[in-house]
Amino acid sequence: MILNPLPPTPTSPPPSWYWSLPYAAVALFVATMAALLWLTHRQDSEEQRATLINDVLWMEQNLGFQFERNNNHLTQLGPDLLKGGPLSATTQARLRQALDPESGLIRILWLHTNGEVRGAQPPYTDSHLVGETGGTFPSNSAYRLSRSMGQPVYSDAYAVIENQTQFEVHVPIFDGGRYLGSVVGVYSLNNMVSQQVPWWFSERYRVSVANNLGVEIAAKSRVSPLSSLAYEIPFEPPGHGLTLNVTAYKSEVRWIPLLLMGSLGVLAAAIVWSLWQLRRHMQRRQAAEQALRAEHAFRKAMEDSLNTGMRARDLKGRITYVNPAFCRMVGWSAEELVGLLPPMPYWAPEALERTLAVHEMVLGGNAPPQGIEIRLMRRNGERFDALLIEAPLIDSEGRHIGWMGSMVDVTEQKHAQELYRQQQERLQATARLVTMGEMASTLAHELNQPLAAISSYNTGCINMIGKGDMSPGELSGILEKIGKQAQRAGQIIRRVHAFVRRSEPKCEPVDLNAILREAVGLVEPDAERRGVNIQQDLADALPEIAADPVMIEQVAINLIRNGMDAMADAPRPQRNLTLTTRLQDGMLILSVADRGKGIPPEVAEKLFAPFFTTKEEGMGMGLNICRSIAELHRGRLSFEGNPGGGTIFHFSLPVQP
């Protein structure tokens, strides 16, 4: 990414030496003709020597490449060969490809982790061995060394029948650090020399391989007199003292006129080539400059159209680039911001400590991928909330040179979220009031009973006192009954008040069973009026959860009343509502099971939708609010069919440590 991009400057003319290149080529031609005759004889011998060395080095490199290709092929074959079972058609085809005569491999074996041979292609016996192999075939020493080193290891060369010499390469196979076994490739040294030495090389040189005792063990040559020009290098790999000897055949005398003509042609071609390359270079440069201008214009237009603020910083936190949207957001210009180090002028003083902590977190590479909200300040002093997302800034060479951040003003979004939260609170409070309104007649009847009992006890007590035939003991018993009825009435009033009062949501440790018992106490009069039997199967010793008790009680009451409504048409003996609590997979689960008609599929699809209801006078918000409360507490509200008929609602809440 280019920071602070500048428009490309017009193309500058090439330097003067660039245009003098054709003249330098002509001058070189004249100088070459003058020096060529003197250098011919000396250069001839040196060139032959250099050619021999280059050819030998090429030969060595070619052999090394072949060994490397074979090792890679064996490494790729290893997992398929060592997995056990019959070999697939693909693996067999790759085996045949690896055993191509040009590779030098004549046999491939795969060994178990204990070194035992699990298979070979083609099959083998020990009867063909002639030389010393360390006592076993394949070589134990090479096998152990390759396994310990974790890389291919070559064995000593050894003789076999028909005056052939072989050596092995042991390739260990690992899977995630676990040793699976080894794949062994058996090379024929004679085949390697025969196949890997190209025809043009064998036309010029005699190639042979000698062991550590100087005895020639493989060669490729033709009947032709040899020259004194020779070169010897170690045969690595496989090593173990093997040497590669290359001796040149005697060649015909190189004619000087041919050299002169060749030099003329080369120099003429150099002149033409240099002029042609110069022309191509100028054309490419002009095209690149035009593409750069177009790219710069496109990126500038795209950058100016963004509403998201973009800011780049180096590894020390210094601002290196800001886009126009960022400048509009904070009120400072790019010239004023570029080059600044923290603290920045747009950091709000009251949030300075937290902003600095966010800054250090970003420079430490710990910025959350979803972004982080911070409080910032505009130039006029106005505060705003911003969502900051940071990502590493990588240059064209793959180096981490800083951080690129995108900033979005989320002030309006946060205001909208706060308004939505307040509306949800009002809606929940309204729903509780509606619930209590629906239960008002039942609660009034329930409250009337203790009040009537108090009045009756009081009247009887007055009459007995007036007659003068009441003992202190009888008076004490009547007063105790009056007190119990008053406590009962007060308990009902307190429950109603705690349920309908509106307060800020709070999160505190609560006992789910205790909340459920309070909810049952509120709806129990209504349940008795409807003839519904509420059964409680509450698990013991449940852990406390962090939740708002009023909200949880609201969910419980809604689910219980929905269950009672669902059984309105059921016969009285079947009106059983079962409440259960249990701990499962780190979640506390409240289940409310009714014996009603169940929920039809067409209703189940939109059961939690706002304002959807199956009741004649329902609001259609009860289950929607219950689900919102569940999600607010990071829980879940779901339902399923009751095997005994009806529906089971499950309200799950996470257990807080």
Side-chain angles (χ1 to χ4, degrees):
M1 177 176 292
I2 300 177
L3 303 182
N4 293 326
L6 298 175
T9 57
T11 305
S12 58
S16 57
W17 61 266
Y18 194 87
W19 294 108
S20 61
L21 183 61
Y23 304 99
V26 175
L28 180 62
F29 170 76
V30 175
T32 302
M33 291 299 297
L36 185 59
L37 294 177
W38 178 78
L39 295 174
T40 298
H41 180 70
R42 180 179 176 182
Q43 186 178 1
D44 185 67
S45 58
E46 292 179 354
E47 186 175 343
Q48 290 183 12
R49 178 71 177 176
T51 301
L52 171 63
I53 295 174
N54 289 337
D55 289 342
V56 172
L57 294 178
W58 177 90
M59 181 67 185
E60 180 187 25
Q61 187 180 41
N62 188 54
L63 289 173
F65 285 163
Q66 184 60 48
F67 284 126
E68 186 67 22
R69 284 193 295 269
N70 289 344
N71 291 345
N72 292 337
H73 209 156
L74 294 178
T75 301
Q76 296 172 1
L77 276 171
D80 293 335
L81 296 175
L82 294 171
K83 67 182 181 181
L87 300 180
S88 64
T90 302
T91 304
Q92 292 178 0
R94 294 170 65 189
L95 268 174
R96 289 192 296 271
Q97 181 182 359
L99 291 171
D100 186 83
E102 292 185 359
S103 68
L105 291 171
I106 61 173
R107 180 173 285 107
I108 296 177
L109 305 91
W110 46 100
L111 312 182
H112 199 267
T113 54
N114 59 5
E116 294 180 0
V117 178
R118 297 180 60 177
Q121 184 68 25
Y124 79 98
T125 62
D126 292 338
S127 60
H128 68 290
L129 299 180
V130 174
E132 176 64 29
T133 65
T136 58
F137 173 72
S139 170
N140 271 342
S141 60
Y143 164 78
R144 291 192 300 269
L145 184 59
S146 68
R147 178 174 178 178
S148 63
M149 295 178 62
Q151 62 185 16
V153 172
Y154 292 83
S155 71
D156 289 330
Y158 54 88
V160 296
I161 59 176
E162 299 179 355
N163 294 324
Q164 297 290 311
T165 303
Q166 297 179 357
F167 62 95
E168 307 156 13
V169 59
H170 290 246
V171 181
I173 305 300
F174 294 88
D175 181 12
R178 183 172 62 91
Y179 177 64
L180 302 179
S182 294
V183 178
V184 179
V186 182
Y187 286 92
S188 171
L189 189 58
N190 306 76
N191 289 356
M192 283 291 296
V193 175
S194 175
Q195 295 292 335
Q196 293 299 318
V197 177
W199 66 269
W200 59 268
F201 198 96
S202 60
E203 285 291 321
R204 298 179 185 176
Y205 311 104
R206 181 182 187 275
V207 181
S208 63
V209 178
N211 59 17
N212 55 354
L213 300 177
V215 178
E216 186 177 281
I217 56 178
K220 183 175 182 180
S221 63
R222 61 182 176 86
V223 179
S224 182
L226 299 174
S227 69
S228 59
L229 193 60
Y231 197 77
E232 177 181 299
I233 59 172
F235 194 11
E236 293 283 352
H240 298 286
L242 297 182
T243 57
L244 184 65
N245 302 310
V246 180
T247 306
Y249 296 115
K250 288 186 177 180
S251 59
E252 297 181 357
V253 178
R254 302 174 65 184
W255 300 98
I256 294 178
L258 294 178
L259 291 176
L260 293 176
M261 293 301 296
S263 299
L264 289 174
V266 170
L267 291 175
I271 294 174
V272 175
W273 179 84
S274 63
L275 293 175
W276 179 67
Q277 288 294 328
L278 181 61
R279 180 174 177 271
R280 286 190 61 191
H281 171 75
M282 294 301 298
Q283 290 176 338
R284 287 196 298 266
R285 179 168 180 173
Q286 291 175 356
E289 290 178 350
Q290 183 62 31
L292 181 60
R293 293 191 189 97
E295 181 70 16
H296 176 267
F298 172 76
R299 289 183 177 273
K300 189 68 170 62
M302 180 175 65
E303 173 189 319
D304 293 343
S305 66
L306 287 176
N307 290 325
T308 301
M310 304 296 293
R311 175 203 60 190
R313 295 182 293 175
D314 60 17
L315 296 177
K316 295 182 179 179
R318 180 184 289 104
I319 296 179
T320 57
Y321 165 75
V322 290
N323 71 341
F326 187 92
C327 296
R328 291 193 299 269
M329 196 175 298
V330 300
W332 278 271
S333 65
E335 292 76 12
E336 294 173 315
L337 293 175
V338 172
L340 293 182
L341 283 168
M344 302 301 176
Y346 51 83
W347 287 7
E350 67 274 11
L352 184 62
E353 184 176 349
R354 182 177 183 275
T355 308
L356 185 60
V358 171
H359 169 79
E360 297 295 337
M361 179 175 62
V362 171
L363 294 188
N366 300 319
Q370 71 274 13
I372 187 169
E373 288 188 9
I374 57 175
R375 187 79 167 172
L376 299 177
M377 178 180 65
R378 307 188 202 277
R379 189 164 191 166
N380 59 6
E382 179 186 353
R383 268 58 170 175
F384 68 98
D385 296 307
L387 176 63
L388 181 63
I389 302 176
E390 296 278 356
L393 185 61
I394 308 300
D395 66 3
S396 58
E397 298 180 359
R399 296 176 301 179
H400 180 203
I401 61 173
W403 302 91
M404 173 59 74
S406 61
M407 193 166 69
V408 181
D409 189 345
V410 295
T411 306
E412 294 299 327
Q413 179 182 350
K414 292 196 67 175
H415 288 168
Q417 290 175 350
E418 178 63 21
L419 180 61
Y420 174 76
R421 186 188 66 81
Q422 294 175 0
Q423 291 174 345
Q424 284 292 106
E425 293 176 12
R426 296 190 186 101
L427 185 59
Q428 291 168 11
T430 303
R432 292 196 294 271
L433 289 173
V434 170
T435 300
M436 293 310 303
E438 295 173 354
M439 298 168 58
S441 61
T442 303
L443 288 173
H445 174 73
E446 182 69 13
L447 189 60
N448 189 53
Q449 289 181 353
L451 293 177
I454 292 173
S455 178
S456 176
Y457 286 138
N458 184 64
T459 302
C461 184
I462 293 174
N463 293 334
M464 294 176 69
I465 292 175
K467 294 178 181 180
D469 56 355
M470 174 176 284
S471 65
E474 291 176 336
L475 179 61
S476 176
I478 293 175
L479 292 177
E480 287 180 359
K481 293 179 180 179
I482 292 175
K484 289 181 179 179
Q485 295 300 323
Q487 290 177 359
R488 180 184 175 189
Q491 186 178 18
I492 294 174
I493 294 173
R494 283 194 300 273
R495 285 176 177 173
V496 173
H497 178 264
F499 181 70
V500 300
R501 69 186 178 92
R502 182 181 172 190
S503 61
E504 289 293 325
K506 57 183 178 180
C507 188
E508 61 184 32
V510 296
D511 183 354
L512 181 60
N513 287 345
I515 292 178
L516 193 57
R517 294 188 185 98
E518 288 289 331
V520 171
L522 277 174
V523 301
E524 200 167 26
D526 195 16
E528 292 177 358
R529 181 178 61 83
R530 300 189 189 194
V532 176
N533 179 29
I534 300 179
Q535 300 175 352
Q536 302 183 49
D537 182 12
L538 309 182
D540 296 329
L542 290 179
E544 291 185 336
I545 56 174
D548 186 295
V550 177
M551 290 185 177
I552 303 303
E553 185 177 9
Q554 182 176 359
V555 173
I557 291 177
N558 275 327
L559 295 180
I560 293 173
R561 297 193 71 250
N562 284 348
M564 293 192 299
D565 292 341
M567 297 185 293
D569 298 332
R572 277 187 173 268
Q574 296 183 8
R575 297 178 188 177
N576 294 321
L577 190 70
T578 305
L579 311 180
T580 61
T581 57
R582 68 183 186 276
L583 177 63
Q584 180 179 333
D585 298 331
M587 304 287 286
L588 279 186
I589 302 177
L590 163 63
S591 299
V592 181
D594 63 61
R595 298 294 298 277
K597 298 179 180 179
I599 300 176
E602 63 274 10
V603 175
E605 295 178 357
K606 45 188 176 181
L607 189 62
F608 294 105
F611 306 110
F612 173 78
T613 180
T614 58
K615 304 175 185 178
E616 294 182 358
E617 299 179 356
M619 293 177 58
M621 292 299 296
L623 288 178
N624 180 265
I625 291 175
C626 289
R627 186 175 64 174
S628 299
I629 293 175
E631 293 174 351
L632 178 65
H633 289 81
R634 293 180 290 115
R636 186 169 180 264
L637 180 63
S638 60
F639 67 92
E640 63 179 349
N642 192 344
T647 308
I648 303 176
F649 278 85
H650 301 291
F651 177 48
S652 59
L653 294 170
V655 177
Q656 296 294 327

